[in-house]
């Protein structure tokens, strides 16, 4: 019987008189929907209880339903209801990509590989929300729930101190409620009991809840080996997201969660297969924010093609990696030049020295020190956020933080030949970007950013 | 089943359909969303279901002839994302109402209530954002609470159908008595279960794939969905379906409640242009677009038994799925204001293309090859129009073929266009 699920505050739950009736409802799989849609006679037959008892229960139930739902499910005029509010990230570029900033009443997910700056962004947001409204904040406190170790207070202090706006406007760690949970049981208790109590007691002063990260404990605990288990896991994630959303709406707070990644490797099928528009795998890349070439490449990977065409397809599709091509090209130039230099040098020597030596030199092909493998070719994307579609269905904004390698300015200027080492990493430069994979409030876009002492700043 | 509709109501004058603002979608729906009808819109997260709902609402509110009519937004867990930056016109309107409903009983009680008080609660358009979530939660709660193993002893699929029939009946009563339109915005879920085939038991056909995302897949007796990788491990092809179809109560008898739904609109991502893997000339044009698959469920059901061996709509749609009559494909693009339209907004690159080769390429055909002559096809049930439908569909396929041939036979043409972009 789902009376508790539908009407948690029902008095009928504790009424001794109906305990046998409720037990019968469980026994015969009669749910609340039947109680409100069938007449007493049919119900009595289903439950094998007396019609009088059923009718009395039904009458009380309907009264209770009306009492509880009437006020709550009364349509209100949109302008009179509480619209989502937003707070600025403190950075123009990021705000613009996000459609103004981070919104309350919904879930914003930040996902990405480790060391891409997920926690940095989360920490920054726990501070930004404290700013006065005139500066784009919400004058609110924040709750920071960590699942991997404690909140790095030194780093937070550093961000506050190096940012004039924060330090002069009363932004402080004292306005962050922080708690760390070591396991899933602990996390459940915090989300189910402690957080609602805290929000209730704070009387609207809390404006942001940050969970870093949502999937850390879940990933380990929610391993499914049977259909039933996987179904339960799906439901668990639904319930988790719904609980957060109800809190977000009730107290008008922003929920920001970081999410970890798992791998979705490319699988070669023994028989060719063409993907269909409605296939999960065909759509997946767009849901998780892979780059275009990866999406197309993965869609085409198992397609029936001539074997000779396959490789051409690969290079053709993945040819968007311009920087890799650039480095490669410069590298080839360099190797050629080195070779040329060597031979002209050898030729010069030829004139002076014995021809035998130079012949030996010819046989010893010159070893160019820089290896031709320049590294950092951007691979086909295979990272997906944890918790799957059940989770994705509940979030309003998905942000992907990624770290890429771009050709360094030296290569771009075509000055690779000036480089005198043999470390190929000098040809590359780390570039970070935040991708708005999807958002209810903004079109998808991508912004480059840097991690600085002030937190996260966008770059042009 | 009595829907409580008087004959006079049924024959009363036709109410003007509600425009979606997407021209070709409206054509597929016979001029827009019809009154006294329920529509389902579903798609993956981020595709723009909510945005489409808001767009329909915004169109409604800005329609002068509807100035005294009201609309209602029923939200479940996700909030109505109307802010000063996003569909702010709705904030100024005196026609838009909202309400939050998260429980199935609450929804039934609510629709019963508003059906009894039409004076007070007359909404010409009702949008339920996250309808499938209510059903999904309900089924899971039943599963959780039941003391017996419900998947075996009490068929959850039966229960789901019963619940949906009940709910949709309640909603249909309201739409018929008030002449209103209801849009259900639903999530989608992945499943490898093929609802086309009959199954012996559910449990036997299930298999868990642990890809870190905790999804289950269903293992089907019919081999259409099973593929093997090079190591011989069986893998199931997972398909995205509406969460009303692919939830815990998945099964083969969904058509019983689908009769209440006038049309189902699936929204998906796809590439705007076909990729030709001609090895020398391959030049990736990574422009994506949204695709709507409009399924007229009644028409499809009535055509189910008929043989159909038509070719598919596009390169990527329905390679493995037979294409049914009553299904249409519409490509949509957001314009500068974020509204979806079926005509691609002209960008700089586009203009260049036309300037470079105005005579050679045919931009209209290139971008919307599926739509030609579609407006007359939908919904007409006379003998003649069925023939017409057959014909125009054939001609449609023909036009696709010609465009495909064009791009193959005129590689020069393509070359010019791509060069102009670079």
């Amino acid at each position: 019987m789902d009376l508790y699920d539908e009407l948690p505050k029902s008095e009928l739950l504790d009424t001794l008189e109906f305990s046998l009736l409720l037990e019968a409802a469980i026994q015969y799989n009669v749910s609340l929907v039947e109680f409100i849609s069938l007449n007493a006679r049919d119900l009595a037959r289903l439950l094998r209880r007396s019609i009088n008892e059923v009718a009395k229960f039904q009458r009380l139930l309907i009264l209770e339903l009306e009492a509880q739902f009437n006020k709550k499910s009364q349509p209100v005029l949109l302008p009179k209801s509480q619209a989502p509010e937003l707070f600025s990230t403190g950075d123009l570029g990021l705000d613009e990509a996000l459609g103004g900033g981070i919104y309350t009443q919904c879930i914003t997910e930040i996902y990405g590989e480790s060391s891409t700056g997920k926690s940095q962004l989360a920490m920054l947001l726990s501070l930004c929300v404290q700013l006065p409204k005139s500066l784009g904040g919400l004058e609110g406190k924040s709750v920071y729930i960590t699942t991997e170790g404690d909140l790095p207070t030194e780093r937070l202090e550093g961000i506050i101190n190096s940012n004039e706006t924060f330090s002069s406007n009363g932004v402080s760690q004292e306005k962050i409620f922080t708690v760390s949970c070591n396991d899933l049981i602990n996390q459940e208790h915090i989300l189910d009991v402690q957080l609602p109590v805290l929000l209730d007691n704070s009387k609207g002063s809390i404006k942001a809840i940050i969970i870093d990260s949502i999937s850390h404990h879940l990933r380990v605990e929610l391993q499914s080996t049977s259909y039933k288990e996987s179904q339960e896991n799906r439901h668990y994630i639904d319930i988790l997201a719904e609980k957060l959303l109800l809190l977000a709406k009730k107290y008008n707070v922003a929920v920001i969660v970081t999410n970890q990644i798992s791998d979705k490797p490319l699988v070669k099928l023994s028989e060719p297969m063409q993907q269909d528009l409605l296939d999960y795998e065909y759509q997946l890349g767009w849901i998780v924010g892979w780059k275009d070439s990866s999406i197309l490449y993965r869609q085409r990977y198992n397609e029936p093609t001539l074997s000779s065409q396959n490789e051409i397809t690969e290079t053709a599709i993945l040819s968007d990696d311009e920087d890799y091509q650039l480095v490669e090209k410069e590298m080839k130039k360099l190797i050629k030049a080195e070779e040329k230099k060597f031979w002209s040098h050898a030729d010069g020597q030829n004139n002076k020295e014995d021809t035998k030596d130079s012949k030996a030199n010819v046989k010893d092909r010159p070893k160019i020190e820089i290896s031709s493998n320049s590294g950092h070719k951007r691979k086909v994307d295979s990272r997906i956020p944890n918790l799957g579609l059940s989770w994705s269905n509940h979030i309003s904004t998905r942000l992907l933080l990624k770290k890429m390698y771009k050709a360094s300015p030296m290569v771009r200027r075509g000055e690779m030949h000036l480089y005198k080492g043999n470390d190929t990493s000098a040809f590359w430069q780390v570039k970070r970007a935040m991708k708005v994979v999807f958002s209810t409030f903004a079109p998808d876009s991508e912004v480059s950013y840097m991690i600085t002492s002030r937190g996260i700043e966008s770059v042009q | 089943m009595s829907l409580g509709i008087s004959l006079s109501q049924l024959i009363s004058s036709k109410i003007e359909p509600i425009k979606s603002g997407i021209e070709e979608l409206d054509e597929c729906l016979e001029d827009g969303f019809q009154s006294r009808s329920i529509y389902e819109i579903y798609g993956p997260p981020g595709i723009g279901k909510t945005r489409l709902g808001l767009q329909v609402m915004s169109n409604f509110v800005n329609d002068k002839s509807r100035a005294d009519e009201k609309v209602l937004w029923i939200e479940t867990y996700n909030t109505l994302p109307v802010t000063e930056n996003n569909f702010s016109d709705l904030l100024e309107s005196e026609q838009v109402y909202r309400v939050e409903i998260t429980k199935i009983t609450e929804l039934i009680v609510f629709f019963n209530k508003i059906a009894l008080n039409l004076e007070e609660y007359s909404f010409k358009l009702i949008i339920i954002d996250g309808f499938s979530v209510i059903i999904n939660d309900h089924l899971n709660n039943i599963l959780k609470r039941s003391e017996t193993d419900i998947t075996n002893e009490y068929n959850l699929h039966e229960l789901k159908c019963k619940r949906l029939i009940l709910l949709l009946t309640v909603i249909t009563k309201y739409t018929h008595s008030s002449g209103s339109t209801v849009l259900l915005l639903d999530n989608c879920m992945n499943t490898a279960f093929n609802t086309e085939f009959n199954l012996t038991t559910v449990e036997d056909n299930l298999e868990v794939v642990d890809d870190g995302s905790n999804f289950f897949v269903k293992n089907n007796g019919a081999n259409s969905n099973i593929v093997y990788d090079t190591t011989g491990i069986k893998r199931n092809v997972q398909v995205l379906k509406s969460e009303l179809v692919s939830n815990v109560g998945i099964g083969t008898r969904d058509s019983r409640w689908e009769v209440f739904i006038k049309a189902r609109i699936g929204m998906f991502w796809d590439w705007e242009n076909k990729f030709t893997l001609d090895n020398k000339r391959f030049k990736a044009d990574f422009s994506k677009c949204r695709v709507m698959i409009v399924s007229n469920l009644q028409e499809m059901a009535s055509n189910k038994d008929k043989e159909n061996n038509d070719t598919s709509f596009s390169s990527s749609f329905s390679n493995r799925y037979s294409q049914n009559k009553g299904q249409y494909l519409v490509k949509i693009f957001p314009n500068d204001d974020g509204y979806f339209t079926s005509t691609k907004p002209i960008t700089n690159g586009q203009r260049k293309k036309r300037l470079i080769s105005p005579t050679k390429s045919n931009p209209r055909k290139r971008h919307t090859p599926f739509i030609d002559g579609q407006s007359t096809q939908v919904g007409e049930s006379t003998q003649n129009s069925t023939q017409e439908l057959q014909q125009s569909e054939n001609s449609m396929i023909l036009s696709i073929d010609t465009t495909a041939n064009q791009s193959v036979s005129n590689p020069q043409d393509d070359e010019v266009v791509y060069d102009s972009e670079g």
Side-chain angles (χ1 to χ4, degrees):
Chain A
M1 179 70 174
D2 55 346
L3 179 59
Y4 178 75
D5 298 306
E6 297 285 316
L7 270 176
K9 286 178 195 151
S10 174
E11 282 168 15
L12 293 169
L13 280 169
D14 310 320
T15 314
L16 205 62
E17 193 188 342
F18 298 117
S19 60
L20 286 172
L21 183 72
L22 291 174
E23 261 172 44
I26 293 168
Q27 193 185 343
Y28 298 111
N29 281 319
V30 174
S31 73
L32 202 59
V33 176
E34 269 99 15
F35 274 101
I36 62 167
S37 59
L38 296 178
N39 61 34
R41 187 195 304 265
D42 293 339
L43 267 177
R45 203 181 310 129
L46 273 175
L47 292 164
R48 302 184 198 173
R49 304 290 302 176
S50 86
I51 186 162
N52 286 337
E53 187 188 13
V54 171
K56 189 179 175 194
F57 182 82
Q58 221 180 358
R59 206 167 48 242
L60 288 170
L61 179 71
I62 286 167
L63 280 176
E64 202 171 38
L65 279 172
E66 281 174 356
Q68 292 209 17
F69 288 153
N70 246 352
K71 192 159 168 266
K72 193 186 153 276
S73 55
Q74 179 65 35
V76 288
L77 205 58
L78 177 61
K80 288 184 182 151
S81 67
Q82 173 69 59
E85 292 178 292
L86 66 95
F87 67 92
S88 159
T89 62
D91 183 282
L92 209 63
L94 296 186
D95 280 351
E96 203 178 320
L98 290 165
I102 303 289
Y103 285 84
T104 63
Q105 301 185 22
C106 59
I107 301 177
T108 303
E109 180 200 62
I110 304 164
Y111 99 93
E113 289 180 51
S114 55
S115 84
T116 46
K118 299 191 294 286
S119 299
Q120 301 283 343
L121 183 56
M123 279 189 274
L124 182 70
L125 295 176
S126 73
L127 299 173
C128 289
V129 71
Q130 301 177 17
L131 285 170
K133 288 190 176 168
S134 57
L135 291 168
L138 285 173
E139 286 167 33
K141 294 175 182 162
S142 53
V143 181
Y144 203 110
I145 301 166
T146 57
T147 55
E148 297 155 88
D150 293 330
L151 186 67
T153 44
E154 279 177 28
R155 174 72 180 136
L156 268 174
E157 206 55 46
I159 298 175
I160 297 172
N161 289 335
S162 57
N163 193 325
E164 175 71 12
T165 325
F166 285 158
S167 47
S168 60
N169 282 292
V171 172
S172 97
Q173 292 199 43
E174 278 159 30
K175 290 180 186 164
I176 303 175
F177 298 94
T178 177
V179 62
S180 56
C181 37
N182 324 319
D183 54 31
L184 192 60
I185 310 264
N186 199 217
Q187 181 178 323
E188 278 174 10
H189 186 257
I190 287 167
L191 295 180
D192 291 353
V193 183
Q194 297 184 8
L195 187 61
V197 170
L198 179 66
L199 286 167
D200 211 44
N201 290 340
S202 73
K203 297 190 175 62
S205 66
I206 291 172
K207 284 293 172 199
I209 301 166
I210 292 147
I211 306 170
D212 183 18
S213 70
I214 189 82
S215 57
H216 183 68
H217 296 310
L218 288 174
R219 193 172 53 163
V220 186
E221 304 266 342
L222 296 190
Q223 303 257 345
S224 44
T225 51
S226 72
Y227 167 61
K228 197 158 183 260
E229 267 176 39
S230 66
Q231 280 296 0
E232 282 166 7
N233 290 344
R234 259 188 176 181
H235 184 52
Y236 183 92
I237 293 166
D238 279 337
I239 294 287
L240 171 73
E242 285 163 11
K243 264 189 299 218
L244 288 172
L245 282 167
L246 287 180
L247 289 177
K249 288 210 286 192
K250 188 173 175 194
Y251 299 100
N252 193 21
V253 295
V255 176
I256 299 142
V257 303
T258 64
N259 196 354
Q260 291 164 326
I261 50 156
S262 48
D263 203 38
K264 181 121 184 123
L266 264 173
V267 178
K268 192 82 198 164
L269 301 176
S270 58
E271 277 172 49
M273 191 201 71
Q274 200 155 14
Q275 284 196 0
D276 187 279
L277 178 67
L278 303 181
D279 284 0
Y280 174 57
E281 302 240 338
Y282 191 89
Q283 297 291 328
L284 183 66
W286 284 299
I287 302 174
V288 302
W290 286 336
K291 58 178 192 277
D292 291 334
S293 58
S294 289
I295 296 175
L296 183 69
Y297 183 64
R298 294 184 69 117
Q299 287 170 348
R300 296 266 176 162
Y301 189 64
N302 278 308
E303 241 176 44
T305 40
L306 301 169
S307 58
S308 63
Q309 229 179 346
N310 257 346
E311 278 175 36
I312 297 160
T313 313
E314 181 173 347
T315 46
I317 293 178
L318 297 176
S319 67
D320 72 327
D321 196 346
E322 288 163 6
D323 285 72
Y324 182 76
Q325 288 176 339
L326 181 69
V327 172
E328 197 91 300
K329 200 177 110 197
E330 291 290 322
M331 191 79 81
K332 275 185 190 142
K333 257 200 227 164
L334 191 62
I335 292 169
K336 246 186 192 161
E338 288 279 315
E339 276 178 348
K340 219 174 160 187
K341 220 161 82 190
F342 183 89
W343 288 115
S344 65
H345 183 65
D347 283 349
Q349 280 181 332
N350 259 353
N351 297 336
K352 290 171 198 168
E353 290 172 25
D354 196 17
T355 45
K356 262 188 183 173
D357 279 359
S358 68
K359 264 182 188 167
N361 270 340
V362 177
K363 277 171 194 163
D364 281 340
R365 288 233 130 209
K367 283 261 190 284
I368 306 297
E369 274 193 20
I370 299 165
S371 86
S372 60
N373 176 19
S374 56
H376 293 314
K377 179 168 185 163
R378 275 182 274 159
K379 293 189 190 77
V380 179
D381 287 334
S382 65
R383 307 285 192 216
I384 55 167
N386 279 326
L387 310 182
L389 208 51
S390 301
W391 169 256
S392 308
N393 277 330
H394 291 93
I395 59 179
S396 294
T397 302
R398 163 167 284 164
L399 305 176
L400 165 61
L401 298 187
K402 51 185 184 175
K403 205 160 92 177
M404 295 166 298
Y405 291 91
K406 290 292 219 183
S408 67
M410 178 180 76
V411 176
R412 288 180 184 281
R413 289 192 301 265
E415 291 171 355
M416 198 190 249
H417 58 278
L418 296 176
Y419 180 70
K420 294 287 181 258
N422 57 1
D423 180 13
T424 54
S425 64
F427 303 149
W428 296 96
Q429 186 184 30
V430 177
K431 201 187 146 208
R432 295 171 188 275
M434 181 188 87
K435 184 171 187 175
V436 179
V437 180
F438 59 79
S439 171
T440 321
F441 302 99
D444 35 320
S445 60
E446 200 169 311
V447 210
S448 299
Y449 70 89
M450 287 188 310
I451 297 181
T452 65
S453 60
R454 294 156 59 93
I456 279 184
E457 291 174 84
S458 67
V459 286
Q460 285 302 309
Chain B
M1 186 189 314
S2 161
L3 293 181
I5 313 145
S6 66
L7 192 62
S8 61
Q9 273 177 323
L10 279 177
I11 54 170
S12 64
S13 63
K14 194 174 183 268
I15 300 168
E16 187 67 16
I18 297 165
K19 302 276 188 206
S20 69
I22 302 166
E23 214 173 285
E24 277 155 17
L25 176 63
D26 288 339
E27 280 175 26
C28 292
L29 300 171
E30 278 183 276
D31 218 22
F33 294 106
Q34 306 294 319
S35 66
R36 303 193 186 94
S37 306
I38 305 172
Y39 293 85
E40 189 197 10
I41 297 164
Y42 76 101
I47 196 74
K49 306 176 287 286
T50 306
R51 184 156 284 274
L52 179 67
L54 287 171
Q55 174 173 338
V56 176
M57 213 154 86
S58 173
N59 280 342
F60 187 99
V61 166
N62 290 319
D63 183 348
K64 291 274 186 308
S65 63
R66 296 187 185 272
D68 52 352
E69 293 177 352
K70 293 189 286 188
V71 289
L72 176 68
W73 184 277
I74 302 178
E75 64 195 68
T76 51
Y77 292 94
N78 284 322
T79 194
L80 173 61
V82 171
T83 65
E84 279 165 24
N85 304 334
N86 202 24
F87 288 94
S88 53
D89 50 337
L90 295 174
L91 280 176
E92 285 146 29
S93 166
E94 293 284 307
Q95 295 165 262
V96 185
Y97 288 78
R98 75 189 275 199
V99 66
E100 179 197 289
I101 291 175
T102 52
K103 310 279 190 212
I104 187 167
T105 43
E106 197 180 354
L107 194 64
I108 296 170
V109 170
F110 179 77
F111 267 97
N112 283 334
K113 179 178 86 178
I114 61 173
L116 288 173
N117 299 292
L118 279 179
E119 295 277 300
E120 193 183 346
Y121 302 114
S122 159
F123 301 105
K124 282 288 172 271
L125 172 66
I126 298 180
I127 297 174
I128 311 180
D129 188 13
F131 176 78
S132 61
V133 174
I134 293 178
I135 297 293
N136 197 22
D137 279 358
H138 175 67
L139 292 176
N140 275 302
N141 284 334
I142 297 282
L143 188 64
K144 193 176 67 191
R145 296 273 169 204
S146 97
E147 291 183 335
T148 51
D149 189 357
I150 206 162
T151 45
N152 287 335
E153 292 175 24
Y154 191 76
N155 193 335
L156 217 53
H157 180 57
E158 283 298 309
L159 181 71
K160 179 187 80 172
C161 293
K162 252 169 75 183
R163 285 293 180 271
L164 278 167
I165 290 170
L166 174 71
L167 252 177
L168 293 169
T169 309
V170 171
I171 297 175
T172 305
K173 269 185 195 166
Y174 178 79
T175 58
H176 277 73
S177 52
S178 67
S180 58
T181 306
V182 173
L183 305 185
L184 311 174
L185 307 184
D186 290 339
N187 292 333
C188 72
M189 263 308 182
N190 53 334
T191 176
F193 183 91
N194 196 333
T195 45
E196 302 284 314
F197 295 90
N198 282 312
L199 296 165
T200 45
T201 66
V202 178
E203 192 77 25
D204 291 346
N205 290 288
L206 296 166
E207 181 193 335
V208 177
V209 162
D210 204 8
D211 60 354
S213 49
N214 300 310
F215 289 148
F216 75 97
V217 293
K218 288 201 173 185
N219 175 358
N220 202 319
N223 60 3
S224 67
N225 275 12
I226 300 173
V227 289
Y228 295 88
D229 70 11
T230 42
T231 56
I233 295 169
K234 193 161 74 179
R235 294 184 176 267
N236 292 275
V237 178
Q238 298 192 45
V239 182
L240 291 173
K241 289 190 172 139
S242 157
E243 199 181 28
L244 288 186
V245 175
S246 65
N247 49 27
V248 270
I250 199 158
T252 52
R253 303 188 64 195
D254 285 320
S255 55
R256 287 191 293 160
W257 57 265
E258 279 171 348
V259 295
F260 288 93
I261 292 176
K262 176 99 174 166
R264 171 181 281 153
I265 302 166
M267 295 174 77
F268 297 95
W269 289 110
D270 202 5
W271 303 107
E272 193 190 322
N273 298 313
K274 246 191 241 181
F275 287 96
T276 44
L277 289 179
D278 178 359
N279 48 21
K280 274 177 210 134
R281 241 177 295 280
F282 181 84
K283 179 82 177 150
D285 172 15
F286 295 113
S287 28
K288 60 177 183 179
C289 70
R290 290 170 170 90
V291 182
M292 283 177 158
I293 299 164
V294 186
S295 314
N296 186 331
L297 294 173
Q298 272 89 18
E299 196 179 331
M300 280 168 71
S302 65
N303 278 305
K304 211 166 190 176
D305 303 328
K306 292 177 194 164
E307 183 68 30
N308 64 80
N309 44 10
D310 285 346
T311 45
S312 59
F313 275 125
S314 76
S315 60
S316 48
F317 181 48
S318 290
N319 295 312
R320 268 176 291 109
Y321 306 90
S322 61
Q323 189 57 56
N324 291 308
K325 288 282 187 307
Q327 265 191 318
Y328 303 100
L329 196 105
V330 176
K331 289 190 178 188
I332 55 169
F333 308 90
N335 68 10
D336 290 343
D337 302 321
Y339 286 79
F340 294 126
T341 62
S342 49
T343 44
K344 193 179 187 228
I346 297 170
T347 59
N348 287 335
Q350 210 73 37
R351 245 181 241 129
K352 259 192 218 161
K353 269 187 195 174
R354 284 185 195 166
L355 282 175
I356 301 281
S357 53
T359 48
K360 281 181 188 169
S361 71
N362 186 343
R364 192 181 60 86
K365 262 194 178 169
R366 186 182 296 276
H367 300 300
T368 55
F370 313 111
I371 312 303
D372 298 16
Q374 224 172 256
S375 55
T376 52
Q377 284 173 32
V378 196
E380 294 180 48
S381 52
T382 58
Q383 200 77 36
N384 279 343
S385 68
T386 320
Q387 277 174 359
E388 249 174 52
L389 190 135
Q390 196 86 33
Q391 274 176 356
S392 55
E393 207 148 85
N394 284 339
S395 69
M396 224 162 69
I397 291 151
L398 215 94
S399 77
I400 296 168
D401 285 343
T402 49
T403 42
N405 285 337
Q406 265 175 13
S407 61
V408 174
S409 60
N410 289 339
Q412 301 294 339
D413 193 337
D414 276 10
E415 200 72 320
V416 173
V417 173
Y418 287 128
D419 282 349
S420 75
E421 275 184 327

